């Protein structure tokens, strides 16, 4: 399979064409940004670790019947994915309060939630990915009602599956962000699932094993990602 021209470069990944018009190569960089790129840095080998972690999670979700863009792990920093048209909506589920929810509602980090909170954000870096609701999505034609319903159903399924998956590894899934794409008229899970896009706290110690170590300069970032990789690889 031939690697073709670069078609997109984001903050943490690059997409390249392949000789198959339906497939792209997703390349994982070591670059990290936070707070809408106000903070920038690199995390040694993050790309390699996130590629492996995402592979494990996509394989697990596919095995449970969830459609994803994942095709195969190619090498350290690259996976082969289906080419999709990205829906311009980011989906977040929160099982416990952290990050922007604490700022939004004035609650303590770690506050228990009596049920998961589902959020939509408009995928617009220039606006700082603002929180929106279904009316905004429909009024701006970002997705149809049918697509929204599918995205919500899949996201709740991913939450149920991933909570159990990580709990088996003694990790609590605090929250996560998903992106979806359109492929041959169907909604499928896209982007990546890694400690860049999930908050994971070790059960018992509450040790943070995710990008909050970078966001808040907590140290031992590489070790935290490596720990997640080691656990998901078991
Ligand atoms: P937040 O608390 O900063 O809104 O983040 C919620 C979850 O979404 C957290 O697991 C980190 C993830 N996330 C991303 O993957 N990309 C982003 O741009 C942001 C803001 C959050």
């Amino acid at each position: 399979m031939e690697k073709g021209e670069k078609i997109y470069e984001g903050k943490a990944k690059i997409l390249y064409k392949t000789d198959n018009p339906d497939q792209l190569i997703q390349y994982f960089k070591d670059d990290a940004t936070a707070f809408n790129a106000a903070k920038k840095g690199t995390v040694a080998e993050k790309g390699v670790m996130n590629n492996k972690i995402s592979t494990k999670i996509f394989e697990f979700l596919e095995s449970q019947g969830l459609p994803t863009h994942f095709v195969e792990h190619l090498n350290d920093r690259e996976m082969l994915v289906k080419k999709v048209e990205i829906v311009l909506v980011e989906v977040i589920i929160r099982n416990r309060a952290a990050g922007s929810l604490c700022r939004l509602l004035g609650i303590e980090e770690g506050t228990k939630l009596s049920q998961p909170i589902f959020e939509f954000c408009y995928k617009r870096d220039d606006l700082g990915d603002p929180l929106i609701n279904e009316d905004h999505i429909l009024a701006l034609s970002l997705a149809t009602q049918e697509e929204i319903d599918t995205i919500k159903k899949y996201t709740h399924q991913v939450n149920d599956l991933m909570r159990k998956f990580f709990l088996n590894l003694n990790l609590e899934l605090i929250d996560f962000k998903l992106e979806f794409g359109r492929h041959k008229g169907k909604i499928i899970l896209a982007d990546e699932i890694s400690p860049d896009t999930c908050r994971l706290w070790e059960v018992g110690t509450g040790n943070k094993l995710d990008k909050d170590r970078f966001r808040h300069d907590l140290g031992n970032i590489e070790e935290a990602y490596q720990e997640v990789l080691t656990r998901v690889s078991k």
Side-chain angles (χ1 to χ4, degrees):
M1 189 243 321
E2 284 287 309
K3 185 166 168 183
E5 67 174 289
K6 184 199 284 192
I7 58 161
Y8 173 82
E9 178 154 7
K11 288 179 281 196
K13 296 186 297 298
I14 306 174
L15 293 173
Y16 296 93
K17 282 188 178 172
T18 68
D19 44 19
N20 180 340
D22 184 44
Q23 295 182 338
L24 300 175
I25 289 172
Q26 176 162 263
Y27 176 98
F28 289 73
K29 302 194 279 186
D30 288 346
D31 297 346
T33 63
F35 312 114
N36 206 22
K39 181 180 170 81
K40 290 190 176 125
T42 59
V43 176
E45 301 298 294
K46 175 171 81 75
V48 177
M49 296 188 279
N50 279 356
N51 186 27
K52 290 190 180 137
I53 294 167
S54 269
T55 294
K56 287 283 176 195
I57 297 175
F58 280 138
E59 283 174 345
F60 166 67
L61 293 175
E62 285 277 352
S63 78
Q64 302 297 307
L66 256 138
T68 80
H69 72 156
F70 177 79
V71 178
E72 64 175 319
H73 184 268
L74 293 175
N75 54 52
D76 267 5
R77 290 179 182 274
E78 295 175 336
M79 63 167 63
L80 190 63
V81 297
K82 292 173 188 154
K83 184 177 182 179
V84 299
E85 180 198 348
I86 286 286
V87 177
L88 294 180
V89 167
E90 296 190 353
V91 188
I92 293 170
I93 281 202
R94 302 174 186 276
N95 296 308
R96 195 189 272 275
S100 67
L101 184 75
C102 298
R103 296 193 289 278
L104 184 75
L105 301 181
I107 53 178
E108 285 280 309
E109 179 180 71
T111 301
K112 279 198 174 165
L113 304 171
S114 51
Q115 62 173 63
I117 295 177
F118 186 99
E119 294 175 355
F120 286 117
C121 294
Y122 185 17
K123 192 171 156 59
R124 276 283 298 265
D125 280 340
D126 56 333
L127 302 176
D129 297 340
L131 199 57
I132 54 172
N133 67 29
E134 286 191 33
D135 280 353
H136 296 94
I137 296 174
L138 292 170
L140 269 64
S141 301
L142 300 178
T144 64
Q145 185 65 57
E146 194 188 348
E147 288 175 333
I148 293 173
D149 293 344
T150 303
I151 287 172
K152 284 174 83 171
K153 183 182 82 180
Y154 286 165
T155 304
H156 282 292
Q157 286 173 357
V158 169
N159 189 40
D160 292 342
L161 290 166
M162 288 213 305
R163 275 174 96 166
K164 288 188 200 123
F165 175 84
F166 283 117
L167 208 51
N168 264 325
L169 309 174
N170 218 34
L171 296 172
E172 181 179 344
L173 179 63
I174 303 301
D175 58 29
F176 60 92
K177 185 261 312 181
L178 300 179
E179 295 186 28
F180 289 89
R182 300 180 183 94
H183 180 257
K184 298 183 177 167
K186 294 230 160 59
I187 289 287
I188 64 174
L189 191 52
D191 195 52
E192 68 175 291
I193 302 181
S194 72
D196 271 14
T197 63
C198 301
R199 284 193 175 93
L200 296 165
W201 295 0
E202 189 178 41
V203 175
T205 63
N207 197 12
K208 292 176 176 160
L209 298 177
D210 58 61
K211 195 174 157 191
D212 270 351
R213 303 206 75 82
F214 170 78
R215 294 189 186 96
H216 304 297
D217 299 313
L218 303 178
N220 298 321
I221 312 173
E222 292 86 359
E223 290 80 356
Y225 281 64
Q226 182 56 54
E227 183 59 34
V228 174
L229 174 57
T230 303
R231 292 190 193 202
V232 303
S233 302
K234 271 180 191 159

